[in-house]
Amino acid sequence: MIIFLAKIMLIDGSRIRVNTYNPRLAKAEEHYIRGSIYDASGNLLAYTEVESDGTKTRVYPFGEAYAHVTGYSLRSKTCLELALNEKLLSSDRFTDQLEYLFGGDDILGNNAILTIDGGLQQKAYDLLSSVHGAVVISEPSTGKILALVSTPSYDPNTVSENWEDLTNREDSPLYSRAMQGQYPPGSTFKIITALAAFRHGDLRNYVYDCTGDVEIGHTILPCYNSTAHGEQDIYDAFANSCNTYFATLGIQVGGKDLRSTAESLYLNDRIDFALPQSMSRVTVSDADNEQMIAETAIGQGQNQITPFSMNMIASVIANQGMLYAPYIVDRIENTDGKTVEKYLPSLYDRNVLTQEEAEYMEGLMEGVVSRGTAYMLSDLPCTVYGKTGTAQVTEGDDTEPHSWFTGYTKTNGEADLAITVMIENGAESYPALPVVYELLSYYYNR
Ligand SMILES: [Zn+2]
């Protein structure tokens, strides 16, 4: 009898599997104790508590800080609770399955260990808890996601009780701004305009005398606070985030090349990832008028970019033009702690940028920190490269612009982190830069 059962189970892959879309899911969950989810250092992020009467409750010890990573597991499931459903409801321990068949005990499901750096995640959540925004931090040399935060958040422990409120709230706490928020990128888009100009060759030495604003078509595009930057080459203009320079440069690059450069960086595209994501969109074309092309070149117009995509671009530059596919699950372990599935870094595109392009972009992003708009990041125990952005919001002129930073850090010439922070309507009241400073101080000084 045992041999017969063993044979069937081995042929079936020696596990009792549950598919997310399997109608027997609820039935199977009755017989499993859903596996736990841990951060990279072994902190419990989600586990199932079983009471003496057999009632199972899913517990999320860190509440709101991880809501957009773990998601929740009720009748419906979201985020990693959904993506890992089958793994958390299967066991690789053969003895578990025999015990279950003969003794009727519930089976302990496999556990998932994430790439998330718990300290960094909590710090990012704390810094954003009073505003609406997103933080994405990753490791450029592997693609590991170290922190992924979206606020306002929600407590996955009480989703059921608060369902009415959570789904009706205007500030949409269930929605992940890091993965799904499509925002005008503001001046962080100058990364793409500068790269497009570099690829043009003859525009590399473009110089423009900034008088604080420029009239294009029927609109006047000002520099921030109408500052007249004077004569600017690309290094000055990138460091100072000079709008008149980039608007006039963008027109010469043209809509078609702006768009193809954006697409070469995986905008208008989606890379496989465990969490749901929105596509970043850059729709400019040669058919657009000069005003639209100029606005696109400085990150206004119809660009819509997610913090997740923006961070991928920073990570490519940090990694000499190579893109590692972002990933957030490090491994699956059985209840004995044995690894049953390991996720390894995967080189997704070896040549997003040439070495020369990556070095050129790094030079521009270095100036932003050493003498430009992100100067406050110049006294950290690492070298920071980046780009700031202030993105006008179309609805209502008195709405405060969004505040962006995207970039990366190096120590001893090696890339450590790619980091992107976006604060909705935070340009004056809660800008992204001090948040980046706090996160990096924490990371390098802990
Ligand atoms: Zn200017």
Side-chain angles (χ1 to χ4, degrees):
M1 177 67 175
I2 288 176
I3 290 167
F4 173 69
L5 275 175
K7 187 160 169 274
I8 289 178
M9 284 190 284
L10 286 170
I11 288 168
D12 289 347
S14 87
R15 66 185 73 186
I16 299 165
R17 284 184 176 279
V18 184
N19 190 288
T20 309
Y21 303 104
N22 193 321
R24 288 174 299 167
L25 173 72
K27 178 97 181 121
E29 268 205 289
E30 283 171 23
H31 302 299
Y32 267 93
I33 298 171
R34 191 177 179 79
S36 304
I37 303 177
Y38 297 86
D39 74 3
S41 347
N43 297 306
L44 253 181
L45 309 180
Y47 67 94
T48 294
E49 207 165 66
V50 186
E51 315 214 359
S52 50
D53 67 354
T55 314
K56 291 171 189 163
T57 313
R58 194 70 168 160
V59 183
Y60 301 91
F62 294 91
E64 300 198 339
Y66 285 87
H68 295 103
V69 173
T70 60
Y72 52 80
S73 170
L74 299 164
R75 247 204 157 121
S76 70
K77 300 175 199 312
T78 59
C79 298
L80 291 180
E81 290 280 31
L82 174 62
L84 295 171
N85 197 35
E86 187 187 334
K87 315 233 181 251
L88 299 172
L89 289 177
S90 56
S91 168
D92 278 75
R93 282 199 341 173
F94 185 58
T95 47
D96 276 348
Q97 296 166 18
L98 283 185
E99 258 172 49
Y100 169 67
L101 284 167
F102 292 102
D105 284 348
D106 282 353
I107 302 175
L108 286 167
N110 289 329
N111 300 321
I113 291 82
L114 309 184
T115 59
I116 293 283
D117 176 324
L120 211 46
Q121 174 83 9
Q122 187 67 49
K123 183 79 186 170
Y125 175 73
D126 292 344
L127 286 164
L128 257 65
S129 60
S130 64
V131 291
H132 296 177
V135 171
V136 184
I137 303 175
S138 66
E139 197 174 73
S141 58
T142 59
K144 283 182 182 174
I145 299 290
L146 305 181
L148 188 70
V149 165
S150 172
T151 59
S153 189
Y154 64 93
D155 185 351
N157 294 295
T158 54
V159 169
S160 285
E161 294 95 298
N162 299 331
W163 188 251
E164 266 311 290
D165 176 53
L166 289 172
T167 48
N168 288 325
R169 263 169 59 180
E170 265 185 35
D171 59 1
S172 315
L174 292 173
Y175 154 90
S176 170
R177 285 162 165 78
M179 298 299 307
Q180 296 167 296
Q182 294 163 302
Y183 297 95
S187 296
T188 57
F189 194 86
K190 289 171 185 164
I191 291 172
I192 293 152
T193 308
L195 177 62
F198 187 76
R199 288 179 176 173
H200 243 270
D202 56 326
L203 292 173
R204 289 179 193 181
N205 299 317
Y206 176 60
V207 173
Y208 183 79
D209 189 6
C210 170
T211 57
D213 60 44
V214 61
E215 191 172 348
I216 294 168
H218 300 294
T219 194
I220 291 174
L221 296 177
C223 277
Y224 194 61
N225 289 333
S226 297
T227 305
H229 290 112
E231 192 174 286
Q232 303 277 291
D233 67 10
I234 190 134
Y235 288 93
D236 302 326
F238 199 85
N240 298 325
S241 206
C242 178
N243 280 344
T244 62
Y245 180 96
F246 276 93
T248 52
L249 175 65
I251 290 170
Q252 296 171 77
V253 168
K256 183 166 155 273
D257 285 359
L258 279 177
R259 180 160 163 175
S260 65
T261 302
E263 288 177 349
S264 75
L265 297 169
Y266 291 95
L267 302 176
N268 294 341
D269 199 350
R270 240 184 299 239
I271 280 188
D272 243 14
F273 190 63
L275 303 176
Q277 57 180 309
S278 298
M279 194 157 78
S280 295
R281 287 176 196 285
V282 176
T283 56
V284 71
S285 78
D286 273 349
D288 285 315
N289 61 26
E290 286 199 338
Q291 181 184 328
M292 177 56 78
I293 295 170
E295 284 178 354
T296 299
I298 60 168
Q300 298 295 149
Q302 290 168 351
N303 300 319
Q304 292 197 314
I305 299 189
T306 65
F308 182 71
S309 297
M310 189 60 86
N311 196 67
M312 232 160 57
I313 295 173
S315 138
V316 163
I317 299 168
N319 214 27
Q320 286 131 22
M322 288 181 282
L323 172 62
Y324 278 87
Y327 70 107
I328 195 166
V329 181
D330 181 72
R331 62 190 185 276
I332 305 295
E333 288 182 354
N334 69 17
T335 49
D336 294 331
K338 185 178 151 250
T339 298
V340 296
E341 219 171 325
K342 171 80 181 167
Y343 299 89
L344 296 169
S346 138
L347 184 55
Y348 191 83
D349 187 337
R350 180 179 296 280
N351 212 10
V352 180
L353 303 179
T354 64
Q355 183 96 12
E356 193 195 10
E357 288 169 346
E359 276 164 19
Y360 163 76
M361 291 311 302
E362 179 158 296
L364 294 179
M365 290 168 89
E366 190 271 329
V368 172
V369 178
S370 66
R371 63 185 177 107
T373 55
Y375 184 70
M376 82 173 289
L377 305 179
S378 59
D379 74 338
L380 286 157
C382 58
T383 314
V384 187
Y385 307 82
K387 186 72 196 82
T388 55
T390 305
Q392 305 298 325
V393 185
T394 42
E395 64 263 18
D397 287 342
D398 54 349
T399 313
E400 208 178 319
H402 300 327
S403 180
W404 279 91
F405 176 85
T406 190
Y408 58 94
T409 66
K410 282 188 172 181
T411 44
N412 306 319
E414 297 290 321
D416 294 326
L417 304 176
I419 177 168
T420 300
V421 175
M422 192 285 313
I423 313 286
E424 284 180 16
N425 314 116
E428 305 290 340
S429 55
Y430 202 94
L433 219 43
V435 173
V436 175
Y437 187 87
E438 289 291 318
L439 284 167
L440 296 179
S441 303
Y442 166 80
Y443 182 81
Y444 286 100
N445 294 316
R446 67 179 164 181

